[in-house]
Amino acid sequence: MPTTPPARISPAASAAAGIGIEIRGLSRTFAGNVQVLSKLDLSVSAGEFLAILGPSGCGKSTLLRLIAGLDRPDSGSVRLLGDAASAAGAGQLPVAYVFQDAHLLPWRSVMHNVALPLELMGQAKAARLQAAAAAIAKVGLIDAMRRYPSQLSGGMRMRVSLARALVTRPRLLLLDEPFAALDEITRQRLDEDLRQLWMDSGMTVLFVTHSTPEATFLAQRAVVFSGRPARLLADMSIHLPPWRDAALRGTSQFAAASEGIYRALRQSQS
C-alpha cells in the first residue's frame, strides 16, 4: 500500500487555493429541441477533485462549458463561490479549461504556446516567459520548451496543454477527457502527474472521463449522470489514501472503489 510522503498540501491550504461551485436548476436545450441538462443541482467544495462520468452525449462537456462561461444556460445558475468573481473582475483568470485535443498552435514553440494566455492578458514578455518556464517545469517538459508541436508525442502535447492551463495559476481547472486518446501507460502516468499537481496547488478540479479506473485513481468524489437530459444517478466518495501511485491500482481497495463507480455507470446506460 502506498505511504504518504512527508511534504503534502494540507486540507486547509487546499480549501484556500480552490474555489467552490454551486449549480442550481441548470438547464440547457440545443437546436432541434435536444434537451441536454434539465434542472441539474450540483455542489463542489473548494479544493475538491471531482470526477464526472456518464453516457456519451449526456451533457458532461456541456456542463463544463457552462461552468467556464463558454456557453449560457437556458435557466438556472452557476455560482463560483468565495472571491472568484472579484478575481475575474480584476483581470485574473480563476478558471482554466483543458480539452480532449491539445489545440496547440503549430507555429509556436512549447514555451510560446504555454505563455499565450498571459500574452492575451497583456502581461509583459519577461514575466510571461518566466511563468511559462515554471509551468513547463511542473509538467516535466523543461528540456522540450523550444520544440514545436509536430516534434512532440501525444502525451507530451497534452502536458503542454496542461501547462498552458496552469500558467494562469487557476483556482478551478476543468478537464474534458484530456487523456482519452493516449495509450494506457502514458495515460496512467499523466493521471499520476495531474493528481500530484492538484495536491501541490490545492485548486478545485472537475475531470470528465469514461474510465472508471481513471476516476477512481484521480478523484476524491465521483458523480455519475444518466442519459440526457442528465440527472444525478450516483454521488460517491472515493475512500483511498491521499498519496496514490501505480501500486495502488493493484490493490483490492482500489478494485472495490472502481467497481462501485462501474456499477453506477452501467445503470446509467441501461
Side-chain angles (χ1 to χ4, degrees):
M1 180 65 64
T3 58
T4 304
R8 295 293 163 207
I9 192 164
S10 70
S14 176
I19 54 177
I21 308 168
E22 187 176 275
I23 296 166
R24 292 291 177 264
L26 198 65
S27 297
R28 185 70 174 98
T29 300
F30 292 118
N33 201 32
V34 178
Q35 190 177 36
V36 179
L37 300 174
S38 178
K39 299 180 180 178
L40 181 70
D41 294 336
L42 182 66
S43 295
V44 184
S45 298
E48 186 172 22
F49 199 126
L50 177 72
I52 302 172
L53 303 97
S56 296
C58 75
K60 302 182 298 296
S61 298
T62 298
L63 176 61
L64 291 196
R65 290 178 62 82
L66 290 168
I67 293 171
L70 301 176
D71 192 10
R72 290 183 173 274
D74 297 309
S75 61
S77 64
V78 176
R79 282 206 311 137
L80 302 184
L81 305 179
D83 60 355
S86 60
Q92 300 173 11
L93 292 178
V95 181
Y97 202 128
V98 178
F99 298 89
Q100 186 170 343
D101 191 292
H103 293 297
L104 302 180
L105 300 179
W107 60 88
R108 280 184 171 243
S109 66
V110 167
M111 170 71 88
H112 287 93
N113 264 289
V114 172
L116 181 60
L118 300 180
E119 182 179 339
L120 296 175
M121 293 168 64
Q123 191 169 115
K125 183 176 181 180
R128 68 178 183 252
L129 292 182
Q130 182 179 9
I136 291 166
K138 285 180 182 178
V139 300
L141 284 181
I142 198 72
D143 293 336
M145 63 183 180
R146 291 183 175 82
R147 296 187 199 173
Y148 289 83
S150 62
Q151 300 172 306
L152 305 176
S153 67
M156 292 172 77
R157 287 194 292 271
M158 287 312 306
R159 287 178 188 272
V160 176
S161 181
L162 185 56
R164 184 177 56 191
L166 295 174
V167 77
T168 61
R169 301 179 69 184
R171 300 181 61 195
L172 171 61
L173 181 62
L174 308 173
L175 302 106
D176 192 359
E177 297 188 75
F179 310 144
L182 303 176
D183 67 86
E184 189 63 20
I185 298 301
T186 301
R187 182 173 183 160
Q188 289 185 11
R189 286 174 178 163
L190 286 173
D191 285 344
E192 292 168 19
D193 291 343
L194 176 59
R195 173 87 187 178
Q196 184 62 62
L197 287 167
W198 166 72
M199 291 187 73
D200 289 342
S201 70
M203 60 190 165
T204 306
V205 178
L206 272 63
F207 189 97
V208 167
T209 180
H210 284 286
S211 168
T212 55
E214 183 169 61
T216 305
F217 184 86
L218 283 171
Q220 295 174 298
R221 174 180 160 218
V223 295
V224 178
F225 291 159
S226 69
R228 67 177 182 238
R231 69 183 190 282
L232 201 57
L233 287 182
D235 186 340
M236 59 196 80
S237 296
I238 298 171
H239 299 291
L240 291 173
W243 171 244
R244 302 175 190 178
D245 61 11
L248 178 66
R249 297 178 187 270
T251 66
S252 59
Q253 188 180 10
F254 184 89
S258 185
E259 174 63 21
I261 299 172
Y262 178 73
R263 285 197 301 269
L265 193 58
R266 281 284 300 268
Q267 180 186 351
S268 74
Q269 302 190 36
S270 60

